[in-house]
Coordinates of all heavy atoms in Angstrom, one line a residue:
M1 N 0.8 -1.2 0.0 CA 0.0 0.0 0.0 C 0.9 1.3 0.0 O 0.6 2.2 -0.7 CB -0.9 0.0 1.2 CG -1.7 1.3 1.4 SD -3.3 1.1 2.0 CE -3.7 2.8 2.4
A2 N 1.9 1.2 0.8 CA 2.8 2.4 0.8 C 3.4 2.7 -0.5 O 3.6 3.8 -1.0 CB 3.9 2.2 1.9
R3 N 3.8 1.6 -1.2 CA 4.5 1.7 -2.5 C 3.5 2.3 -3.6 O 3.8 3.1 -4.4 CB 5.0 0.4 -3.0 CG 6.0 0.5 -4.1 CD 6.7 -0.8 -4.5 NE 7.2 -0.7 -5.8 CZ 7.4 -1.8 -6.6 NH1 7.1 -3.0 -6.1 NH2 7.9 -1.7 -7.8
M4 N 2.2 1.8 -3.5 CA 1.2 2.3 -4.4 C 1.0 3.8 -4.1 O 0.9 4.6 -5.1 CB -0.1 1.5 -4.2 CG -1.2 2.0 -5.1 SD -0.9 1.7 -6.9 CE -1.2 -0.1 -7.0
A5 N 0.9 4.2 -2.9 CA 0.7 5.6 -2.5 C 1.8 6.4 -3.0 O 1.6 7.5 -3.6 CB 0.6 5.7 -1.0
E6 N 3.1 5.9 -2.9 CA 4.2 6.7 -3.4 C 4.2 6.8 -4.9 O 4.5 7.9 -5.4 CB 5.5 5.9 -2.9 CG 6.8 6.6 -3.2 CD 8.0 5.8 -2.8 OE1 7.9 5.0 -1.8 OE2 9.0 5.9 -3.4
T7 N 3.8 5.7 -5.6 CA 3.7 5.8 -7.0 C 2.7 6.8 -7.5 O 2.9 7.5 -8.5 CB 3.4 4.4 -7.6 OG1 4.4 3.5 -7.2 CG2 3.2 4.4 -9.1
L8 N 1.6 7.0 -6.7 CA 0.6 8.0 -7.0 C 0.9 9.4 -6.4 O 0.0 10.3 -6.5 CB -0.8 7.5 -6.5 CG -1.2 6.1 -7.0 CD1 -2.5 5.6 -6.3 CD2 -1.5 6.3 -8.5
S9 N 2.1 9.5 -5.9 CA 2.5 10.8 -5.3 C 1.6 11.2 -4.1 O 1.3 12.4 -4.0 CB 2.6 11.9 -6.3 OG 3.5 11.6 -7.3
L10 N 1.1 10.2 -3.4 CA 0.2 10.5 -2.2 C 1.0 10.3 -0.9 O 1.7 9.3 -0.8 CB -1.0 9.6 -2.3 CG -2.0 9.8 -3.4 CD1 -3.0 8.6 -3.4 CD2 -2.8 11.1 -3.1
D11 N 0.8 11.3 0.0 CA 1.4 11.1 1.3 C 0.2 10.8 2.2 O -0.6 11.7 2.5 CB 2.1 12.4 1.7 CG 2.8 12.3 3.1 OD1 2.2 11.7 4.0 OD2 3.8 12.9 3.3
L12 N 0.1 9.6 2.7 CA -1.1 9.2 3.5 C -1.2 10.0 4.8 O -2.3 10.3 5.2 CB -1.0 7.7 3.8 CG -1.0 6.8 2.5 CD1 -0.9 5.3 2.9 CD2 -2.2 7.1 1.6
G13 N -0.1 10.4 5.4 CA -0.2 11.2 6.6 C -0.8 12.6 6.3 O -1.6 13.1 7.1
V14 N -0.4 13.2 5.2 CA -0.9 14.5 4.8 C -2.4 14.3 4.5 O -3.2 15.2 4.9 CB -0.2 15.0 3.6 CG1 -0.9 16.2 3.0 CG2 1.3 15.4 3.9
E15 N -2.8 13.2 3.8 CA -4.2 13.0 3.5 C -5.0 12.9 4.7 O -6.2 13.4 4.8 CB -4.4 11.8 2.6 CG -3.6 11.8 1.3 CD -4.2 12.8 0.3 OE1 -5.4 13.0 0.3 OE2 -3.4 13.5 -0.4
Y16 N -4.5 12.2 5.7 CA -5.1 12.0 7.0 C -5.3 13.4 7.7 O -6.3 13.7 8.2 CB -4.4 11.0 7.8 CG -4.9 10.8 9.2 CD1 -6.1 10.2 9.5 CD2 -4.3 11.4 10.3 CE1 -6.6 10.0 10.7 CE2 -4.8 11.3 11.6 CZ -6.0 10.6 11.8 OH -6.5 10.5 13.1
D17 N -4.2 14.1 7.8 CA -4.2 15.3 8.5 C -5.1 16.3 7.9 O -5.7 17.2 8.6 CB -2.7 16.0 8.5 CG -1.8 15.2 9.5 OD1 -2.3 14.4 10.3 OD2 -0.6 15.4 9.3
A18 N -5.3 16.2 6.6 CA -6.2 17.1 5.9 C -7.7 16.7 5.9 O -8.5 17.3 5.3 CB -5.8 17.3 4.4
H19 N -7.9 15.6 6.6 CA -9.3 15.0 6.8 C -9.8 14.5 5.4 O -11.1 14.5 5.3 CB -10.2 16.0 7.5 CG -9.7 16.5 8.8 ND1 -9.6 15.7 9.9 CD2 -9.2 17.7 9.1 CE1 -9.1 16.4 10.9 NE2 -8.8 17.6 10.5
I20 N -8.9 14.2 4.5 CA -9.4 13.6 3.2 C -9.8 12.1 3.5 O -10.7 11.6 2.8 CB -8.3 13.7 2.2 CG1 -7.8 15.1 2.0 CG2 -8.8 13.1 0.8 CD1 -8.8 16.1 1.4
V21 N -9.1 11.5 4.4 CA -9.4 10.1 4.7 C -9.4 10.0 6.3 O -8.7 10.7 7.0 CB -8.4 9.1 4.2 CG1 -8.6 8.9 2.7 CG2 -7.0 9.4 4.5
T22 N -10.1 9.0 6.8 CA -10.1 8.7 8.2 C -9.2 7.6 8.5 O -8.8 6.8 7.7 CB -11.6 8.3 8.7 OG1 -11.9 7.1 8.0 CG2 -12.6 9.4 8.3
R23 N -8.9 7.5 9.8 CA -8.0 6.4 10.3 C -8.7 5.1 9.9 O -8.0 4.1 9.5 CB -7.9 6.5 11.8 CG -7.1 5.5 12.5 CD -5.7 5.8 12.4 NE -5.0 4.9 11.5 CZ -3.8 5.0 11.0 NH1 -3.1 6.1 11.2 NH2 -3.3 4.1 10.2
R24 N -10.0 5.0 10.1 CA -10.7 3.7 9.8 C -10.6 3.4 8.3 O -10.4 2.2 7.9 CB -12.2 3.9 10.1 CG -13.0 2.7 9.9 CD -14.4 2.9 10.5 NE -15.4 1.9 10.0 CZ -15.5 0.6 10.4 NH1 -14.6 0.2 11.3 NH2 -16.3 -0.2 9.9
Q25 N -10.7 4.4 7.4 CA -10.6 4.1 6.0 C -9.2 3.6 5.7 O -9.0 2.7 4.9 CB -10.8 5.4 5.2 CG -12.3 5.8 5.0 CD -12.5 7.1 4.3 OE1 -11.9 8.1 4.7 NE2 -13.3 7.0 3.2
L26 N -8.2 4.2 6.3 CA -6.8 3.8 6.0 C -6.6 2.3 6.6 O -5.9 1.5 5.9 CB -5.8 4.7 6.7 CG -5.7 6.1 6.0 CD1 -4.8 7.0 6.8 CD2 -5.2 6.0 4.5
D27 N -7.1 2.1 7.8 CA -7.0 0.7 8.4 C -7.6 -0.3 7.5 O -7.1 -1.4 7.2 CB -7.6 0.7 9.8 CG -6.8 1.4 10.8 OD1 -5.6 1.8 10.5 OD2 -7.3 1.7 11.9
R28 N -8.8 0.0 6.9 CA -9.5 -0.9 6.1 C -8.7 -1.1 4.8 O -8.7 -2.2 4.2 CB -10.9 -0.5 5.8 CG -11.8 -0.6 7.0 CD -13.1 0.0 6.8 NE -14.0 -0.9 6.0 CZ -15.3 -0.6 5.8 NH1 -15.8 0.5 6.2 NH2 -16.0 -1.5 5.0
A29 N -8.1 -0.1 4.3 CA -7.3 -0.2 3.0 C -6.1 -1.1 3.2 O -5.8 -1.9 2.4 CB -6.9 1.2 2.6
V30 N -5.5 -1.0 4.4 CA -4.4 -1.9 4.7 C -4.9 -3.3 4.8 O -4.2 -4.2 4.2 CB -3.7 -1.5 6.1 CG1 -2.7 -2.5 6.5 CG2 -3.0 -0.1 5.9
E31 N -6.0 -3.5 5.3 CA -6.6 -4.9 5.4 C -6.8 -5.4 4.0 O -6.6 -6.6 3.7 CB -7.8 -4.9 6.2 CG -7.6 -4.8 7.7 CD -6.6 -5.8 8.2 OE1 -6.7 -7.0 7.9 OE2 -5.7 -5.4 9.0
R32 N -7.4 -4.5 3.1 CA -7.6 -5.0 1.7 C -6.3 -5.3 1.0 O -6.3 -6.3 0.2 CB -8.4 -3.9 0.9 CG -9.9 -3.9 1.2 CD -10.6 -3.0 0.2 NE -10.4 -1.6 0.4 CZ -11.1 -0.8 1.2 NH1 -12.1 -1.3 1.9 NH2 -10.8 0.5 1.3
C33 N -5.3 -4.6 1.3 CA -4.0 -4.9 0.7 C -3.5 -6.2 1.2 O -3.0 -7.0 0.4 CB -3.0 -3.8 1.2 SG -2.4 -2.7 -0.1
K34 N -3.6 -6.5 2.5 CA -3.1 -7.8 3.0 C -3.9 -9.0 2.4 O -3.3 -10.0 2.3 CB -3.3 -7.8 4.5 CG -2.4 -6.9 5.3 CD -2.6 -7.1 6.8 CE -1.7 -6.1 7.6 NZ -2.2 -6.1 9.0
S35 N -5.1 -8.8 2.0 CA -5.9 -9.9 1.5 C -6.1 -9.7 0.0 O -7.1 -10.3 -0.6 CB -7.3 -10.0 2.2 OG -8.0 -8.8 2.1
C36 N -5.3 -8.9 -0.7 CA -5.4 -8.6 -2.1 C -5.4 -9.9 -2.9 O -4.5 -10.8 -2.6 CB -4.3 -7.7 -2.5 SG -4.5 -7.2 -4.3
N37 N -6.2 -10.0 -3.9 CA -6.2 -11.2 -4.8 C -5.1 -11.3 -5.8 O -4.8 -12.3 -6.3 CB -7.6 -11.3 -5.5 CG -8.7 -11.7 -4.7 OD1 -8.5 -12.4 -3.7 ND2 -9.9 -11.3 -5.0
D38 N -4.5 -10.1 -6.0 CA -3.5 -10.1 -7.1 C -2.2 -9.3 -6.7 O -1.9 -8.4 -7.4 CB -4.1 -9.5 -8.4 CG -3.3 -9.8 -9.6 OD1 -2.3 -10.5 -9.5 OD2 -3.7 -9.3 -10.7
P39 N -1.6 -9.8 -5.7 CA -0.3 -9.0 -5.3 C 0.8 -9.1 -6.3 O 1.5 -8.1 -6.5 CB 0.1 -9.7 -4.0 CG -0.6 -11.0 -4.0 CD -1.9 -10.9 -4.7
D40 N 0.8 -10.2 -7.1 CA 1.8 -10.3 -8.2 C 1.5 -9.3 -9.3 O 2.4 -8.7 -9.8 CB 1.9 -11.7 -8.7 CG 2.4 -12.7 -7.7 OD1 3.1 -12.3 -6.8 OD2 2.2 -13.9 -7.9
G41 N 0.2 -9.2 -9.6 CA -0.2 -8.2 -10.7 C 0.1 -6.8 -10.2 O 0.6 -6.0 -11.0
C42 N -0.1 -6.6 -8.9 CA 0.2 -5.3 -8.3 C 1.7 -5.0 -8.4 O 2.1 -3.9 -8.9 CB -0.2 -5.2 -6.9 SG 0.1 -3.6 -6.1
A43 N 2.5 -5.9 -8.1 CA 4.0 -5.7 -8.1 C 4.4 -5.5 -9.5 O 5.3 -4.6 -9.8 CB 4.7 -7.0 -7.5
M44 N 3.9 -6.2 -10.5 CA 4.2 -5.9 -11.9 C 3.8 -4.6 -12.3 O 4.6 -3.8 -13.0 CB 3.6 -7.0 -12.8 CG 4.4 -8.3 -12.8 SD 3.8 -9.4 -14.1 CE 2.3 -10.1 -13.4
W45 N 2.6 -4.1 -12.0 CA 2.1 -2.8 -12.3 C 3.0 -1.7 -11.7 O 3.4 -0.8 -12.4 CB 0.7 -2.6 -11.9 CG 0.1 -1.4 -12.4 CD1 -0.6 -1.2 -13.5 CD2 0.1 -0.1 -11.7 NE1 -1.0 0.1 -13.6 CE2 -0.6 0.8 -12.5 CE3 0.6 0.3 -10.5 CZ2 -0.8 2.2 -12.2 CZ3 0.5 1.7 -10.2 CH2 -0.2 2.6 -11.0
L46 N 3.4 -1.9 -10.5 CA 4.3 -1.0 -9.8 C 5.6 -0.9 -10.5 O 6.2 0.2 -10.6 CB 4.4 -1.3 -8.3 CG 3.1 -1.0 -7.5 CD1 3.3 -1.7 -6.1 CD2 2.9 0.5 -7.3
D47 N 6.2 -2.1 -10.8 CA 7.4 -2.1 -11.6 C 7.3 -1.3 -12.9 O 8.2 -0.6 -13.3 CB 7.9 -3.5 -11.9 CG 8.4 -4.2 -10.6 OD1 8.6 -3.6 -9.6 OD2 8.5 -5.5 -10.6
D48 N 6.2 -1.5 -13.6 CA 6.0 -0.8 -14.8 C 5.7 0.7 -14.7 O 5.8 1.5 -15.7 CB 4.8 -1.4 -15.6 CG 5.1 -2.8 -16.2 OD1 6.3 -3.1 -16.2 OD2 4.1 -3.5 -16.5
H49 N 5.4 1.1 -13.5 CA 5.1 2.5 -13.2 C 6.0 3.1 -12.2 O 5.6 3.9 -11.3 CB 3.6 2.7 -12.8 CG 2.6 2.3 -13.9 ND1 2.3 1.0 -14.2 CD2 2.0 3.1 -14.8 CE1 1.5 1.0 -15.2 NE2 1.3 2.2 -15.6
S50 N 7.3 2.8 -12.2 CA 8.2 3.2 -11.2 C 8.4 4.8 -11.3 O 8.9 5.4 -10.3 CB 9.5 2.5 -11.3 OG 10.1 2.7 -12.7
G51 N 8.1 5.3 -12.4 CA 8.2 6.8 -12.6 C 7.0 7.6 -12.1 O 7.0 8.8 -12.2
G52 N 6.0 6.8 -11.6 CA 4.8 7.5 -11.1 C 3.6 7.3 -12.0 O 3.7 6.8 -13.2
A53 N 2.4 7.5 -11.4 CA 1.2 7.3 -12.2 C 0.1 8.2 -11.6 O 0.2 8.6 -10.4 CB 0.7 5.8 -12.1
R54 N -0.9 8.5 -12.4 CA -2.0 9.4 -12.0 C -3.1 8.6 -11.3 O -3.8 9.2 -10.5 CB -2.5 10.2 -13.1 CG -1.5 11.1 -13.8 CD -2.1 11.8 -15.0 NE -3.3 12.6 -14.7 CZ -3.2 13.9 -14.3 NH1 -2.1 14.5 -14.2 NH2 -4.3 14.5 -14.1
E55 N -3.3 7.3 -11.7 CA -4.4 6.5 -11.1 C -3.9 5.1 -10.8 O -3.0 4.6 -11.4 CB -5.4 6.3 -12.2 CG -6.4 7.5 -12.4 CD -7.5 7.1 -13.4 OE1 -8.0 6.0 -13.3 OE2 -7.8 7.9 -14.3
A56 N -4.5 4.6 -9.7 CA -4.2 3.2 -9.4 C -4.8 2.3 -10.5 O -5.8 2.7 -11.2 CB -4.8 2.9 -8.0
P57 N -4.3 1.1 -10.6 CA -4.9 0.2 -11.7 C -6.2 -0.3 -11.3 O -6.6 -0.4 -10.1 CB -3.8 -0.9 -11.7 CG -3.2 -1.0 -10.3 CD -3.2 0.5 -9.9
N58 N -7.0 -0.7 -12.3 CA -8.3 -1.3 -12.0 C -8.3 -2.5 -11.2 O -9.3 -2.8 -10.5 CB -9.1 -1.6 -13.3 CG -9.5 -0.3 -14.0 OD1 -9.7 0.7 -13.4 ND2 -9.5 -0.3 -15.4
L59 N -7.2 -3.2 -11.2 CA -7.1 -4.5 -10.4 C -7.0 -4.2 -8.9 O -7.2 -5.1 -8.1 CB -5.9 -5.3 -10.9 CG -4.5 -4.7 -10.6 CD1 -3.9 -5.0 -9.3 CD2 -3.5 -5.3 -11.7
C60 N -6.8 -3.0 -8.5 CA -6.6 -2.6 -7.1 C -7.9 -2.4 -6.4 O -8.7 -1.5 -6.7 CB -5.7 -1.4 -7.0 SG -5.4 -0.8 -5.3
P61 N -8.2 -3.2 -5.3 CA -9.4 -3.0 -4.6 C -9.4 -1.7 -3.8 O -10.5 -1.3 -3.4 CB -9.4 -4.2 -3.6 CG -8.3 -5.1 -4.0 CD -7.4 -4.4 -4.9
N62 N -8.3 -1.1 -3.7 CA -8.2 0.2 -3.0 C -8.3 1.4 -4.0 O -8.2 2.5 -3.6 CB -7.0 0.3 -2.2 CG -7.1 -0.4 -0.9 OD1 -8.1 -0.4 -0.3 ND2 -6.0 -1.0 -0.4
K63 N -8.5 1.1 -5.3 CA -8.6 2.2 -6.3 C -9.6 3.3 -5.9 O -9.3 4.4 -6.1 CB -8.9 1.6 -7.7 CG -9.0 2.7 -8.8 CD -9.1 2.0 -10.2 CE -9.5 3.1 -11.2 NZ -8.6 4.2 -11.3
P64 N -10.8 2.9 -5.5 CA -11.7 4.0 -5.2 C -11.2 5.0 -4.1 O -11.4 6.2 -4.2 CB -13.0 3.3 -4.6 CG -12.9 1.9 -5.3 CD -11.4 1.6 -5.4
L65 N -10.5 4.4 -3.1 CA -9.9 5.3 -2.1 C -8.8 6.1 -2.6 O -8.7 7.3 -2.3 CB -9.5 4.4 -0.9 CG -9.0 5.3 0.3 CD1 -10.2 6.0 0.9 CD2 -8.4 4.4 1.4
F66 N -7.9 5.5 -3.4 CA -6.8 6.2 -4.0 C -7.4 7.3 -5.0 O -6.9 8.4 -5.0 CB -5.9 5.3 -4.8 CG -5.0 4.5 -3.9 CD1 -4.9 3.1 -4.0 CD2 -4.2 5.1 -3.0 CE1 -4.1 2.3 -3.2 CE2 -3.3 4.3 -2.1 CZ -3.3 2.9 -2.3
D67 N -8.4 7.0 -5.7 CA -9.0 8.0 -6.6 C -9.6 9.1 -5.8 O -9.5 10.3 -6.2 CB -10.1 7.3 -7.4 CG -9.6 6.4 -8.6 OD1 -8.4 6.4 -8.8 OD2 -10.4 5.7 -9.1
H68 N -10.2 8.8 -4.7 CA -10.7 9.8 -3.8 C -9.6 10.8 -3.3 O -9.8 12.0 -3.3 CB -11.4 9.2 -2.6 CG -11.8 10.1 -1.5 ND1 -12.8 11.0 -1.6 CD2 -11.3 10.2 -0.2 CE1 -12.9 11.7 -0.5 NE2 -12.0 11.3 0.3
M69 N -8.5 10.2 -2.9 CA -7.4 11.0 -2.4 C -6.8 11.8 -3.6 O -6.5 13.0 -3.4 CB -6.3 10.1 -1.8 CG -6.8 9.6 -0.4 SD -5.4 8.8 0.5 CE -5.5 7.1 -0.2
R70 N -6.7 11.2 -4.7 CA -6.1 12.0 -5.9 C -7.1 13.1 -6.3 O -6.7 14.2 -6.7 CB -5.9 11.1 -7.1 CG -4.8 10.1 -6.9 CD -3.4 10.8 -7.2 NE -3.4 11.5 -8.4 CZ -2.3 12.1 -8.9 NH1 -1.2 12.0 -8.3 NH2 -2.4 12.7 -10.1
G71 N -8.4 12.8 -6.1 CA -9.4 13.8 -6.4 C -9.4 15.0 -5.5 O -9.9 16.1 -5.8
G72 N -8.7 14.9 -4.4 CA -8.6 16.0 -3.4 C -7.6 17.1 -3.8 O -7.5 18.1 -3.2
W73 N -6.9 16.8 -5.0 CA -5.9 17.8 -5.4 C -6.5 18.9 -6.2 O -7.5 18.7 -6.9 CB -4.9 17.0 -6.3 CG -4.0 16.1 -5.5 CD1 -4.3 15.5 -4.3 CD2 -2.7 15.7 -5.9 NE1 -3.2 14.7 -3.9 CE2 -2.3 14.8 -4.8 CE3 -1.8 16.0 -6.9 CZ2 -1.0 14.2 -4.9 CZ3 -0.6 15.4 -7.0 CH2 -0.2 14.5 -5.9
Ligands
SF4_101 S1 -3.4 -3.9 -6.0 FE1 -3.7 -5.0 -4.0 S2 -1.7 -5.1 -3.1 FE2 -1.6 -3.5 -4.7 S3 -2.1 -1.6 -3.6 FE3 -4.0 -2.4 -4.4 S4 -4.9 -3.6 -2.7 FE4 -2.7 -3.3 -2.3

């Protein structure tokens, strides 16, 4: 999750401090990451986007939350 946030140029601490996301939303996102169905696909996508990306991939169960945070810009 941290690597995905970094790839999307998101600082989760800043998002939290700005009340864009709640502690509960972040905790649930971490749980979704731990039980992700496609960690290998995620790793490949992250390798392919090491220079950064504007959106999380569709395969990511946390995409709606990442989109929400990116939408706060
Ligand atoms: S694709 Fe899965 S492992 Fe990767 S950031 Fe999203 S939830 Fe986490």
Side-chain angles (χ1 to χ4, degrees):
M1 174 146 168
R3 194 174 161 206
M4 181 64 77
E6 187 180 329
T7 298
L8 298 172
S9 301
L10 290 169
D11 183 323
L12 298 179
V14 169
E15 299 294 320
Y16 174 75
D17 288 343
H19 306 289
I20 305 293
V21 288
T22 64
R23 179 82 252 165
R24 181 172 164 77
Q25 284 176 305
L26 290 174
D27 287 347
R28 290 175 75 178
V30 169
E31 289 306 313
R32 279 194 289 271
C33 250
K34 286 181 184 168
S35 60
C36 184
N37 284 334
D38 196 1
D40 291 342
C42 179
M44 277 191 282
W45 187 90
L46 287 168
D47 287 345
D48 286 345
H49 294 81
S50 57
R54 296 176 61 88
E55 282 186 42
N58 289 329
L59 65 87
C60 179
N62 281 324
K63 178 175 170 53
L65 186 66
F66 285 126
D67 286 350
H68 170 68
M69 289 190 274
R70 289 282 307 186
W73 289 27

